[in-house]
Amino acid sequence: MGAHLRIDPKLPAPFQRLRAAAWASNFGDGVRNAALPLIAAGLDGSATTVAVVAAAGTLPFAVLGLPAGTMADRRRRVPLIVFAHLFRFVVMAGLAAVILLDATTVGVLVGAAFLLGCGEAVADSASPALLPDLVDDDRLEEANGELETAELVANDLVGPSIGGTLTALSSSLPFVVDAASFLAAGALVRTVDVDESHTHDPPASTWWADLREGARTSWTNPVLRSTGALIVLLQLGSIAAIAPIVIYLTERLDLSPTGYGIFLSIGSLGGLAGARSVKRLIKRRQPFHVLLASLAVTVVAFLLMAVPSLPVVTVGFALSFAAVVTGRIIVIAARQRSVPGRLLGRAQGTIRSLLWTAATVGALLGGAISDGIGVQAPFLFAAAVTAVATILIGPSLRRVL
């Protein structure tokens, strides 16, 4: 019996260090994500102030995605990730000092959020592009699942609750913790020893030529084109459903603020289940079939969320997280396999720019649909978008996955 037992070896040590850095930085992100809106709201009690600070943090992803990816393809990625972590350490340490000196203004928060987003755009373009140099091709889904787990647990589950508690103790303390997390992450990534394949031949072309090549490749590469179209449509639909969900839960279903926090945590647990299941699923089924199943579950999940019953909505929410995370891991691994190492940063950056643009449009659509038609309508819209995207793009996905 023992002769038939297959035990997978551990993922390589360089990847384990990158994963440890992801845990550290995501924990800091989670702490800050809870604290920053509270600090913004405390300035003047305006929802507009909170929204402007949040928008400042997401704007760099839409604007700098492709330039950051180009940078990741022209330089060694490990030092670039280290720089991005240390840059954010400086920004957070500075913000903590300003808050401690009671000199906080809306402009300070907007500037800090924007600079943090710039650093994160660079790190998030370089890190996925580095992965194929750290793990074998047949373990990309597993490695991406490990990084998704770090984000879901540290950023979505653990960090926010600690961030809220720390803010109550001292308004500057969460940002000290966040700064320390970036310092720790930079130190960990600095120990990653890897031969970065894309640096074997230094770029002979100009920056602008590389930028154009990245944009062109994102359209001409069939894997990037098909998966990119899919996830942009899914982002549009899912954000339209999730952006106004707090109104649905608190006004229609009478959920308390504490209950809302628990509800979000249950969704993160669903995503965690999805991230941990991918490795087993792809051993039994082809990636396309796993992706197709995740899309079907996503449609069902959004339909469940339109049922005005808190238990049913909660189940749907957890299912949607599980399905979306599973599909995302399949798509990321497919992109990493299909794109040459020297283009991976630009491919990732282009997709991220499109995703954040779709997220902005989706949030506006979700609010308009909820106000104009009803609080359940965004879920029906998301289910329809997911179903149509699956039908239209499914045949091309079958060919490339």
Side-chain angles (χ1 to χ4, degrees), residues 247-286:
I247 305 297
Y248 180 47
L249 293 171
T250 57
E251 295 187 4
R252 178 69 185 273
L253 302 180
D254 296 321
L255 191 65
S256 68
T258 300
Y260 180 63
I262 295 172
F263 177 86
L264 294 179
S265 295
I266 291 172
S268 298
L269 289 173
L272 179 60
R276 304 309 292 176
S277 67
V278 171
K279 178 183 175 181
R280 294 190 300 273
L281 290 172
I282 62 169
K283 287 182 178 179
R284 299 188 178 101
R285 297 288 186 270
Q286 293 294 321

PDB file of all heavy atoms in Angstrom, residues 247-286:
ATOM      1  N   ILE A 247     -25.809  47.678   1.279  1.00  0.00           N
ATOM      2  CA  ILE A 247     -27.166  48.214   1.346  1.00  0.00           C
ATOM      3  C   ILE A 247     -28.185  47.074   1.414  1.00  0.00           C
ATOM      4  O   ILE A 247     -29.129  47.095   2.211  1.00  0.00           O
ATOM      5  CB  ILE A 247     -27.457  49.111   0.121  1.00  0.00           C
ATOM      6  CG1 ILE A 247     -26.402  50.219   0.010  1.00  0.00           C
ATOM      7  CG2 ILE A 247     -28.857  49.684   0.180  1.00  0.00           C
ATOM      8  CD1 ILE A 247     -26.400  51.178   1.181  1.00  0.00           C
ATOM      9  N   TYR A 248     -27.997  46.081   0.595  1.00  0.00           N
ATOM     10  CA  TYR A 248     -28.873  44.899   0.561  1.00  0.00           C
ATOM     11  C   TYR A 248     -28.907  44.203   1.920  1.00  0.00           C
ATOM     12  O   TYR A 248     -29.964  43.861   2.449  1.00  0.00           O
ATOM     13  CB  TYR A 248     -28.348  43.962  -0.524  1.00  0.00           C
ATOM     14  CG  TYR A 248     -29.114  42.667  -0.715  1.00  0.00           C
ATOM     15  CD1 TYR A 248     -30.498  42.642  -0.809  1.00  0.00           C
ATOM     16  CD2 TYR A 248     -28.426  41.468  -0.863  1.00  0.00           C
ATOM     17  CE1 TYR A 248     -31.185  41.451  -1.026  1.00  0.00           C
ATOM     18  CE2 TYR A 248     -29.094  40.277  -1.081  1.00  0.00           C
ATOM     19  CZ  TYR A 248     -30.479  40.273  -1.162  1.00  0.00           C
ATOM     20  OH  TYR A 248     -31.154  39.101  -1.377  1.00  0.00           O
ATOM     21  N   LEU A 249     -27.729  44.035   2.507  1.00  0.00           N
ATOM     22  CA  LEU A 249     -27.629  43.281   3.758  1.00  0.00           C
ATOM     23  C   LEU A 249     -28.158  44.070   4.953  1.00  0.00           C
ATOM     24  O   LEU A 249     -28.851  43.512   5.813  1.00  0.00           O
ATOM     25  CB  LEU A 249     -26.174  42.878   4.006  1.00  0.00           C
ATOM     26  CG  LEU A 249     -25.592  41.853   3.020  1.00  0.00           C
ATOM     27  CD1 LEU A 249     -24.098  41.709   3.235  1.00  0.00           C
ATOM     28  CD2 LEU A 249     -26.278  40.502   3.177  1.00  0.00           C
ATOM     29  N   THR A 250     -27.810  45.334   5.022  1.00  0.00           N
ATOM     30  CA  THR A 250     -28.172  46.098   6.214  1.00  0.00           C
ATOM     31  C   THR A 250     -29.594  46.651   6.163  1.00  0.00           C
ATOM     32  O   THR A 250     -30.272  46.720   7.192  1.00  0.00           O
ATOM     33  CB  THR A 250     -27.178  47.258   6.428  1.00  0.00           C
ATOM     34  OG1 THR A 250     -27.150  48.081   5.255  1.00  0.00           O
ATOM     35  CG2 THR A 250     -25.780  46.727   6.702  1.00  0.00           C
ATOM     36  N   GLU A 251     -30.070  47.019   4.966  1.00  0.00           N
ATOM     37  CA  GLU A 251     -31.393  47.625   4.875  1.00  0.00           C
ATOM     38  C   GLU A 251     -32.485  46.609   4.556  1.00  0.00           C
ATOM     39  O   GLU A 251     -33.584  46.670   5.119  1.00  0.00           O
ATOM     40  CB  GLU A 251     -31.388  48.743   3.832  1.00  0.00           C
ATOM     41  CG  GLU A 251     -30.485  49.919   4.210  1.00  0.00           C
ATOM     42  CD  GLU A 251     -30.613  51.079   3.254  1.00  0.00           C
ATOM     43  OE1 GLU A 251     -31.458  51.015   2.321  1.00  0.00           O
ATOM     44  OE2 GLU A 251     -29.867  52.063   3.420  1.00  0.00           O
ATOM     45  N   ARG A 252     -32.188  45.674   3.659  1.00  0.00           N
ATOM     46  CA  ARG A 252     -33.214  44.685   3.283  1.00  0.00           C
ATOM     47  C   ARG A 252     -33.229  43.504   4.252  1.00  0.00           C
ATOM     48  O   ARG A 252     -34.289  43.001   4.625  1.00  0.00           O
ATOM     49  CB  ARG A 252     -32.971  44.211   1.852  1.00  0.00           C
ATOM     50  CG  ARG A 252     -33.938  43.148   1.366  1.00  0.00           C
ATOM     51  CD  ARG A 252     -35.345  43.727   1.194  1.00  0.00           C
ATOM     52  NE  ARG A 252     -36.310  42.699   0.837  1.00  0.00           N
ATOM     53  CZ  ARG A 252     -36.549  42.321  -0.431  1.00  0.00           C
ATOM     54  NH1 ARG A 252     -35.913  42.900  -1.438  1.00  0.00           N
ATOM     55  NH2 ARG A 252     -37.447  41.401  -0.691  1.00  0.00           N
ATOM     56  N   LEU A 253     -32.034  43.045   4.664  1.00  0.00           N
ATOM     57  CA  LEU A 253     -31.946  41.861   5.518  1.00  0.00           C
ATOM     58  C   LEU A 253     -31.643  42.183   6.970  1.00  0.00           C
ATOM     59  O   LEU A 253     -31.451  41.276   7.784  1.00  0.00           O
ATOM     60  CB  LEU A 253     -30.881  40.897   4.953  1.00  0.00           C
ATOM     61  CG  LEU A 253     -31.112  40.428   3.514  1.00  0.00           C
ATOM     62  CD1 LEU A 253     -30.007  39.482   3.068  1.00  0.00           C
ATOM     63  CD2 LEU A 253     -32.481  39.768   3.372  1.00  0.00           C
ATOM     64  N   ASP A 254     -31.565  43.471   7.297  1.00  0.00           N
ATOM     65  CA  ASP A 254     -31.396  43.936   8.687  1.00  0.00           C
ATOM     66  C   ASP A 254     -30.160  43.348   9.374  1.00  0.00           C
ATOM     67  O   ASP A 254     -30.194  43.007  10.558  1.00  0.00           O
ATOM     68  CB  ASP A 254     -32.642  43.598   9.520  1.00  0.00           C
ATOM     69  CG  ASP A 254     -33.883  44.320   9.018  1.00  0.00           C
ATOM     70  OD1 ASP A 254     -33.756  45.500   8.639  1.00  0.00           O
ATOM     71  OD2 ASP A 254     -34.964  43.699   8.985  1.00  0.00           O
ATOM     72  N   LEU A 255     -29.069  43.256   8.661  1.00  0.00           N
ATOM     73  CA  LEU A 255     -27.831  42.734   9.245  1.00  0.00           C
ATOM     74  C   LEU A 255     -27.110  43.855   9.981  1.00  0.00           C
ATOM     75  O   LEU A 255     -26.985  44.973   9.477  1.00  0.00           O
ATOM     76  CB  LEU A 255     -26.937  42.158   8.139  1.00  0.00           C
ATOM     77  CG  LEU A 255     -25.727  41.335   8.586  1.00  0.00           C
ATOM     78  CD1 LEU A 255     -26.171  40.067   9.300  1.00  0.00           C
ATOM     79  CD2 LEU A 255     -24.861  40.969   7.376  1.00  0.00           C
ATOM     80  N   SER A 256     -26.616  43.550  11.176  1.00  0.00           N
ATOM     81  CA  SER A 256     -25.902  44.541  11.986  1.00  0.00           C
ATOM     82  C   SER A 256     -24.488  44.750  11.443  1.00  0.00           C
ATOM     83  O   SER A 256     -23.981  43.913  10.681  1.00  0.00           O
ATOM     84  CB  SER A 256     -25.824  44.076  13.436  1.00  0.00           C
ATOM     85  OG  SER A 256     -24.974  42.944  13.540  1.00  0.00           O
ATOM     86  N   PRO A 257     -23.819  45.841  11.838  1.00  0.00           N
ATOM     87  CA  PRO A 257     -22.421  46.030  11.416  1.00  0.00           C
ATOM     88  C   PRO A 257     -21.519  44.863  11.816  1.00  0.00           C
ATOM     89  O   PRO A 257     -20.656  44.444  11.039  1.00  0.00           O
ATOM     90  CB  PRO A 257     -22.013  47.326  12.133  1.00  0.00           C
ATOM     91  CG  PRO A 257     -23.298  48.079  12.278  1.00  0.00           C
ATOM     92  CD  PRO A 257     -24.343  47.025  12.540  1.00  0.00           C
ATOM     93  N   THR A 258     -21.723  44.340  13.030  1.00  0.00           N
ATOM     94  CA  THR A 258     -20.926  43.175  13.454  1.00  0.00           C
ATOM     95  C   THR A 258     -21.218  41.974  12.569  1.00  0.00           C
ATOM     96  O   THR A 258     -20.316  41.257  12.149  1.00  0.00           O
ATOM     97  CB  THR A 258     -21.240  42.827  14.915  1.00  0.00           C
ATOM     98  OG1 THR A 258     -20.916  43.938  15.745  1.00  0.00           O
ATOM     99  CG2 THR A 258     -20.427  41.610  15.363  1.00  0.00           C
ATOM    100  N   GLY A 259     -22.514  41.793  12.285  1.00  0.00           N
ATOM    101  CA  GLY A 259     -22.891  40.685  11.404  1.00  0.00           C
ATOM    102  C   GLY A 259     -22.320  40.839  10.013  1.00  0.00           C
ATOM    103  O   GLY A 259     -21.951  39.849   9.365  1.00  0.00           O
ATOM    104  N   TYR A 260     -22.224  42.092   9.549  1.00  0.00           N
ATOM    105  CA  TYR A 260     -21.653  42.335   8.228  1.00  0.00           C
ATOM    106  C   TYR A 260     -20.186  41.912   8.184  1.00  0.00           C
ATOM    107  O   TYR A 260     -19.732  41.300   7.212  1.00  0.00           O
ATOM    108  CB  TYR A 260     -21.781  43.818   7.875  1.00  0.00           C
ATOM    109  CG  TYR A 260     -21.216  44.190   6.525  1.00  0.00           C
ATOM    110  CD1 TYR A 260     -21.747  43.657   5.357  1.00  0.00           C
ATOM    111  CD2 TYR A 260     -20.146  45.069   6.415  1.00  0.00           C
ATOM    112  CE1 TYR A 260     -21.232  43.994   4.116  1.00  0.00           C
ATOM    113  CE2 TYR A 260     -19.622  45.417   5.183  1.00  0.00           C
ATOM    114  CZ  TYR A 260     -20.169  44.882   4.042  1.00  0.00           C
ATOM    115  OH  TYR A 260     -19.654  45.206   2.815  1.00  0.00           O
ATOM    116  N   GLY A 261     -19.443  42.201   9.252  1.00  0.00           N
ATOM    117  CA  GLY A 261     -18.048  41.767   9.317  1.00  0.00           C
ATOM    118  C   GLY A 261     -17.932  40.256   9.284  1.00  0.00           C
ATOM    119  O   GLY A 261     -17.061  39.692   8.598  1.00  0.00           O
ATOM    120  N   ILE A 262     -18.820  39.576  10.004  1.00  0.00           N
ATOM    121  CA  ILE A 262     -18.816  38.103  10.003  1.00  0.00           C
ATOM    122  C   ILE A 262     -19.160  37.579   8.613  1.00  0.00           C
ATOM    123  O   ILE A 262     -18.559  36.613   8.123  1.00  0.00           O
ATOM    124  CB  ILE A 262     -19.804  37.570  11.057  1.00  0.00           C
ATOM    125  CG1 ILE A 262     -19.342  37.961  12.465  1.00  0.00           C
ATOM    126  CG2 ILE A 262     -19.955  36.051  10.941  1.00  0.00           C
ATOM    127  CD1 ILE A 262     -20.342  37.657  13.549  1.00  0.00           C
ATOM    128  N   PHE A 263     -20.122  38.213   7.967  1.00  0.00           N
ATOM    129  CA  PHE A 263     -20.521  37.828   6.612  1.00  0.00           C
ATOM    130  C   PHE A 263     -19.340  37.899   5.657  1.00  0.00           C
ATOM    131  O   PHE A 263     -19.093  36.968   4.873  1.00  0.00           O
ATOM    132  CB  PHE A 263     -21.643  38.752   6.144  1.00  0.00           C
ATOM    133  CG  PHE A 263     -22.106  38.528   4.730  1.00  0.00           C
ATOM    134  CD1 PHE A 263     -23.070  37.574   4.444  1.00  0.00           C
ATOM    135  CD2 PHE A 263     -21.578  39.272   3.681  1.00  0.00           C
ATOM    136  CE1 PHE A 263     -23.502  37.375   3.144  1.00  0.00           C
ATOM    137  CE2 PHE A 263     -22.004  39.073   2.382  1.00  0.00           C
ATOM    138  CZ  PHE A 263     -22.969  38.128   2.111  1.00  0.00           C
ATOM    139  N   LEU A 264     -18.569  38.991   5.717  1.00  0.00           N
ATOM    140  CA  LEU A 264     -17.395  39.133   4.845  1.00  0.00           C
ATOM    141  C   LEU A 264     -16.358  38.050   5.146  1.00  0.00           C
ATOM    142  O   LEU A 264     -15.724  37.515   4.223  1.00  0.00           O
ATOM    143  CB  LEU A 264     -16.776  40.517   5.021  1.00  0.00           C
ATOM    144  CG  LEU A 264     -17.624  41.707   4.570  1.00  0.00           C
ATOM    145  CD1 LEU A 264     -16.883  43.012   4.834  1.00  0.00           C
ATOM    146  CD2 LEU A 264     -17.996  41.597   3.102  1.00  0.00           C
ATOM    147  N   SER A 265     -16.199  37.714   6.415  1.00  0.00           N
ATOM    148  CA  SER A 265     -15.235  36.680   6.790  1.00  0.00           C
ATOM    149  C   SER A 265     -15.641  35.318   6.233  1.00  0.00           C
ATOM    150  O   SER A 265     -14.790  34.534   5.799  1.00  0.00           O
ATOM    151  CB  SER A 265     -15.114  36.589   8.320  1.00  0.00           C
ATOM    152  OG  SER A 265     -14.579  37.778   8.842  1.00  0.00           O
ATOM    153  N   ILE A 266     -16.942  35.039   6.225  1.00  0.00           N
ATOM    154  CA  ILE A 266     -17.419  33.772   5.664  1.00  0.00           C
ATOM    155  C   ILE A 266     -17.099  33.707   4.174  1.00  0.00           C
ATOM    156  O   ILE A 266     -16.709  32.661   3.646  1.00  0.00           O
ATOM    157  CB  ILE A 266     -18.934  33.612   5.919  1.00  0.00           C
ATOM    158  CG1 ILE A 266     -19.186  33.412   7.415  1.00  0.00           C
ATOM    159  CG2 ILE A 266     -19.502  32.436   5.122  1.00  0.00           C
ATOM    160  CD1 ILE A 266     -20.649  33.429   7.803  1.00  0.00           C
ATOM    161  N   GLY A 267     -17.253  34.840   3.483  1.00  0.00           N
ATOM    162  CA  GLY A 267     -16.881  34.870   2.073  1.00  0.00           C
ATOM    163  C   GLY A 267     -15.411  34.566   1.867  1.00  0.00           C
ATOM    164  O   GLY A 267     -15.034  33.807   0.965  1.00  0.00           O
ATOM    165  N   SER A 268     -14.561  35.121   2.732  1.00  0.00           N
ATOM    166  CA  SER A 268     -13.122  34.856   2.636  1.00  0.00           C
ATOM    167  C   SER A 268     -12.810  33.391   2.890  1.00  0.00           C
ATOM    168  O   SER A 268     -11.916  32.810   2.263  1.00  0.00           O
ATOM    169  CB  SER A 268     -12.367  35.732   3.637  1.00  0.00           C
ATOM    170  OG  SER A 268     -12.557  37.090   3.343  1.00  0.00           O
ATOM    171  N   LEU A 269     -13.551  32.779   3.803  1.00  0.00           N
ATOM    172  CA  LEU A 269     -13.364  31.341   4.060  1.00  0.00           C
ATOM    173  C   LEU A 269     -13.730  30.525   2.822  1.00  0.00           C
ATOM    174  O   LEU A 269     -13.087  29.516   2.519  1.00  0.00           O
ATOM    175  CB  LEU A 269     -14.204  30.908   5.259  1.00  0.00           C
ATOM    176  CG  LEU A 269     -13.724  31.399   6.625  1.00  0.00           C
ATOM    177  CD1 LEU A 269     -14.740  31.039   7.707  1.00  0.00           C
ATOM    178  CD2 LEU A 269     -12.360  30.805   6.965  1.00  0.00           C
ATOM    179  N   GLY A 270     -14.758  30.962   2.107  1.00  0.00           N
ATOM    180  CA  GLY A 270     -15.101  30.293   0.849  1.00  0.00           C
ATOM    181  C   GLY A 270     -13.969  30.406  -0.158  1.00  0.00           C
ATOM    182  O   GLY A 270     -13.612  29.429  -0.829  1.00  0.00           O
ATOM    183  N   GLY A 271     -13.389  31.616  -0.254  1.00  0.00           N
ATOM    184  CA  GLY A 271     -12.247  31.794  -1.153  1.00  0.00           C
ATOM    185  C   GLY A 271     -11.069  30.931  -0.750  1.00  0.00           C
ATOM    186  O   GLY A 271     -10.368  30.365  -1.605  1.00  0.00           O
ATOM    187  N   LEU A 272     -10.840  30.813   0.550  1.00  0.00           N
ATOM    188  CA  LEU A 272      -9.754  29.967   1.041  1.00  0.00           C
ATOM    189  C   LEU A 272      -9.980  28.511   0.648  1.00  0.00           C
ATOM    190  O   LEU A 272      -9.043  27.812   0.228  1.00  0.00           O
ATOM    191  CB  LEU A 272      -9.649  30.101   2.558  1.00  0.00           C
ATOM    192  CG  LEU A 272      -8.585  29.261   3.260  1.00  0.00           C
ATOM    193  CD1 LEU A 272      -7.199  29.613   2.752  1.00  0.00           C
ATOM    194  CD2 LEU A 272      -8.673  29.463   4.770  1.00  0.00           C
ATOM    195  N   ALA A 273     -11.218  28.053   0.762  1.00  0.00           N
ATOM    196  CA  ALA A 273     -11.532  26.683   0.355  1.00  0.00           C
ATOM    197  C   ALA A 273     -11.248  26.484  -1.130  1.00  0.00           C
ATOM    198  O   ALA A 273     -10.714  25.444  -1.547  1.00  0.00           O
ATOM    199  CB  ALA A 273     -12.994  26.372   0.667  1.00  0.00           C
ATOM    200  N   GLY A 274     -11.593  27.488  -1.944  1.00  0.00           N
ATOM    201  CA  GLY A 274     -11.310  27.397  -3.371  1.00  0.00           C
ATOM    202  C   GLY A 274      -9.818  27.327  -3.657  1.00  0.00           C
ATOM    203  O   GLY A 274      -9.354  26.518  -4.471  1.00  0.00           O
ATOM    204  N   ALA A 275      -9.043  28.170  -2.973  1.00  0.00           N
ATOM    205  CA  ALA A 275      -7.593  28.199  -3.192  1.00  0.00           C
ATOM    206  C   ALA A 275      -6.946  26.871  -2.805  1.00  0.00           C
ATOM    207  O   ALA A 275      -6.019  26.405  -3.476  1.00  0.00           O
ATOM    208  CB  ALA A 275      -6.969  29.346  -2.393  1.00  0.00           C
ATOM    209  N   ARG A 276      -7.427  26.278  -1.730  1.00  0.00           N
ATOM    210  CA  ARG A 276      -6.806  25.032  -1.254  1.00  0.00           C
ATOM    211  C   ARG A 276      -7.251  23.818  -2.072  1.00  0.00           C
ATOM    212  O   ARG A 276      -6.615  22.767  -1.997  1.00  0.00           O
ATOM    213  CB  ARG A 276      -7.151  24.804   0.214  1.00  0.00           C
ATOM    214  CG  ARG A 276      -6.785  25.943   1.163  1.00  0.00           C
ATOM    215  CD  ARG A 276      -5.350  26.385   1.005  1.00  0.00           C
ATOM    216  NE  ARG A 276      -4.395  25.379   1.452  1.00  0.00           N
ATOM    217  CZ  ARG A 276      -3.091  25.502   1.349  1.00  0.00           C
ATOM    218  NH1 ARG A 276      -2.574  26.580   0.776  1.00  0.00           N
ATOM    219  NH2 ARG A 276      -2.294  24.550   1.783  1.00  0.00           N
ATOM    220  N   SER A 277      -8.337  23.942  -2.819  1.00  0.00           N
ATOM    221  CA  SER A 277      -8.861  22.786  -3.552  1.00  0.00           C
ATOM    222  C   SER A 277      -8.297  22.664  -4.965  1.00  0.00           C
ATOM    223  O   SER A 277      -8.419  21.597  -5.579  1.00  0.00           O
ATOM    224  CB  SER A 277     -10.390  22.866  -3.629  1.00  0.00           C
ATOM    225  OG  SER A 277     -10.795  23.954  -4.440  1.00  0.00           O
ATOM    226  N   VAL A 278      -7.697  23.732  -5.491  1.00  0.00           N
ATOM    227  CA  VAL A 278      -7.272  23.725  -6.891  1.00  0.00           C
ATOM    228  C   VAL A 278      -6.281  22.605  -7.183  1.00  0.00           C
ATOM    229  O   VAL A 278      -6.377  21.904  -8.197  1.00  0.00           O
ATOM    230  CB  VAL A 278      -6.660  25.086  -7.270  1.00  0.00           C
ATOM    231  CG1 VAL A 278      -6.025  25.022  -8.652  1.00  0.00           C
ATOM    232  CG2 VAL A 278      -7.730  26.160  -7.266  1.00  0.00           C
ATOM    233  N   LYS A 279      -5.332  22.414  -6.293  1.00  0.00           N
ATOM    234  CA  LYS A 279      -4.302  21.390  -6.505  1.00  0.00           C
ATOM    235  C   LYS A 279      -4.937  20.020  -6.727  1.00  0.00           C
ATOM    236  O   LYS A 279      -4.538  19.269  -7.627  1.00  0.00           O
ATOM    237  CB  LYS A 279      -3.354  21.368  -5.313  1.00  0.00           C
ATOM    238  CG  LYS A 279      -2.272  20.299  -5.392  1.00  0.00           C
ATOM    239  CD  LYS A 279      -1.420  20.313  -4.135  1.00  0.00           C
ATOM    240  CE  LYS A 279      -0.420  19.170  -4.132  1.00  0.00           C
ATOM    241  NZ  LYS A 279       0.396  19.156  -2.885  1.00  0.00           N
ATOM    242  N   ARG A 280      -5.930  19.675  -5.906  1.00  0.00           N
ATOM    243  CA  ARG A 280      -6.582  18.371  -6.043  1.00  0.00           C
ATOM    244  C   ARG A 280      -7.441  18.311  -7.302  1.00  0.00           C
ATOM    245  O   ARG A 280      -7.485  17.278  -7.982  1.00  0.00           O
ATOM    246  CB  ARG A 280      -7.452  18.094  -4.814  1.00  0.00           C
ATOM    247  CG  ARG A 280      -6.672  17.930  -3.531  1.00  0.00           C
ATOM    248  CD  ARG A 280      -7.561  17.414  -2.396  1.00  0.00           C
ATOM    249  NE  ARG A 280      -8.660  18.324  -2.129  1.00  0.00           N
ATOM    250  CZ  ARG A 280      -8.575  19.357  -1.310  1.00  0.00           C
ATOM    251  NH1 ARG A 280      -7.426  19.620  -0.679  1.00  0.00           N
ATOM    252  NH2 ARG A 280      -9.623  20.143  -1.096  1.00  0.00           N
ATOM    253  N   LEU A 281      -8.115  19.412  -7.610  1.00  0.00           N
ATOM    254  CA  LEU A 281      -9.019  19.414  -8.752  1.00  0.00           C
ATOM    255  C   LEU A 281      -8.280  19.191 -10.069  1.00  0.00           C
ATOM    256  O   LEU A 281      -8.741  18.440 -10.931  1.00  0.00           O
ATOM    257  CB  LEU A 281      -9.793  20.731  -8.802  1.00  0.00           C
ATOM    258  CG  LEU A 281     -10.838  20.941  -7.694  1.00  0.00           C
ATOM    259  CD1 LEU A 281     -11.387  22.359  -7.749  1.00  0.00           C
ATOM    260  CD2 LEU A 281     -11.965  19.927  -7.827  1.00  0.00           C
ATOM    261  N   ILE A 282      -7.147  19.857 -10.248  1.00  0.00           N
ATOM    262  CA  ILE A 282      -6.448  19.742 -11.530  1.00  0.00           C
ATOM    263  C   ILE A 282      -5.752  18.396 -11.688  1.00  0.00           C
ATOM    264  O   ILE A 282      -5.308  18.043 -12.791  1.00  0.00           O
ATOM    265  CB  ILE A 282      -5.431  20.886 -11.730  1.00  0.00           C
ATOM    266  CG1 ILE A 282      -4.346  20.843 -10.654  1.00  0.00           C
ATOM    267  CG2 ILE A 282      -6.124  22.223 -11.781  1.00  0.00           C
ATOM    268  CD1 ILE A 282      -3.185  21.764 -10.953  1.00  0.00           C
ATOM    269  N   LYS A 283      -5.619  17.643 -10.599  1.00  0.00           N
ATOM    270  CA  LYS A 283      -5.092  16.283 -10.717  1.00  0.00           C
ATOM    271  C   LYS A 283      -6.151  15.327 -11.268  1.00  0.00           C
ATOM    272  O   LYS A 283      -5.823  14.291 -11.841  1.00  0.00           O
ATOM    273  CB  LYS A 283      -4.602  15.787  -9.360  1.00  0.00           C
ATOM    274  CG  LYS A 283      -3.299  16.420  -8.903  1.00  0.00           C
ATOM    275  CD  LYS A 283      -2.860  15.845  -7.567  1.00  0.00           C
ATOM    276  CE  LYS A 283      -1.523  16.445  -7.137  1.00  0.00           C
ATOM    277  NZ  LYS A 283      -1.066  15.921  -5.827  1.00  0.00           N
ATOM    278  N   ARG A 284      -7.410  15.703 -11.099  1.00  0.00           N
ATOM    279  CA  ARG A 284      -8.509  14.838 -11.528  1.00  0.00           C
ATOM    280  C   ARG A 284      -9.149  15.297 -12.838  1.00  0.00           C
ATOM    281  O   ARG A 284      -9.737  14.480 -13.551  1.00  0.00           O
ATOM    282  CB  ARG A 284      -9.587  14.796 -10.444  1.00  0.00           C
ATOM    283  CG  ARG A 284      -9.100  14.243  -9.103  1.00  0.00           C
ATOM    284  CD  ARG A 284     -10.288  14.062  -8.166  1.00  0.00           C
ATOM    285  NE  ARG A 284      -9.864  13.493  -6.896  1.00  0.00           N
ATOM    286  CZ  ARG A 284      -9.693  14.183  -5.783  1.00  0.00           C
ATOM    287  NH1 ARG A 284      -9.894  15.494  -5.796  1.00  0.00           N
ATOM    288  NH2 ARG A 284      -9.329  13.592  -4.671  1.00  0.00           N
ATOM    289  N   ARG A 285      -9.062  16.584 -13.125  1.00  0.00           N
ATOM    290  CA  ARG A 285      -9.734  17.126 -14.301  1.00  0.00           C
ATOM    291  C   ARG A 285      -8.799  18.067 -15.062  1.00  0.00           C
ATOM    292  O   ARG A 285      -7.866  18.612 -14.504  1.00  0.00           O
ATOM    293  CB  ARG A 285     -10.994  17.907 -13.893  1.00  0.00           C
ATOM    294  CG  ARG A 285     -12.070  17.065 -13.217  1.00  0.00           C
ATOM    295  CD  ARG A 285     -12.763  16.150 -14.209  1.00  0.00           C
ATOM    296  NE  ARG A 285     -13.880  15.452 -13.581  1.00  0.00           N
ATOM    297  CZ  ARG A 285     -13.783  14.274 -12.975  1.00  0.00           C
ATOM    298  NH1 ARG A 285     -12.601  13.687 -12.891  1.00  0.00           N
ATOM    299  NH2 ARG A 285     -14.848  13.689 -12.453  1.00  0.00           N
ATOM    300  N   GLN A 286      -9.113  18.281 -16.342  1.00  0.00           N
ATOM    301  CA  GLN A 286      -8.371  19.236 -17.149  1.00  0.00           C
ATOM    302  C   GLN A 286      -8.662  20.663 -16.648  1.00  0.00           C
ATOM    303  O   GLN A 286      -9.768  20.943 -16.162  1.00  0.00           O
ATOM    304  CB  GLN A 286      -8.782  19.125 -18.614  1.00  0.00           C
ATOM    305  CG  GLN A 286      -8.379  17.829 -19.276  1.00  0.00           C
ATOM    306  CD  GLN A 286      -6.867  17.706 -19.378  1.00  0.00           C
ATOM    307  OE1 GLN A 286      -6.165  18.671 -19.652  1.00  0.00           O
ATOM    308  NE2 GLN A 286      -6.357  16.493 -19.149  1.00  0.00           N
TER     309      GLN A 286
END
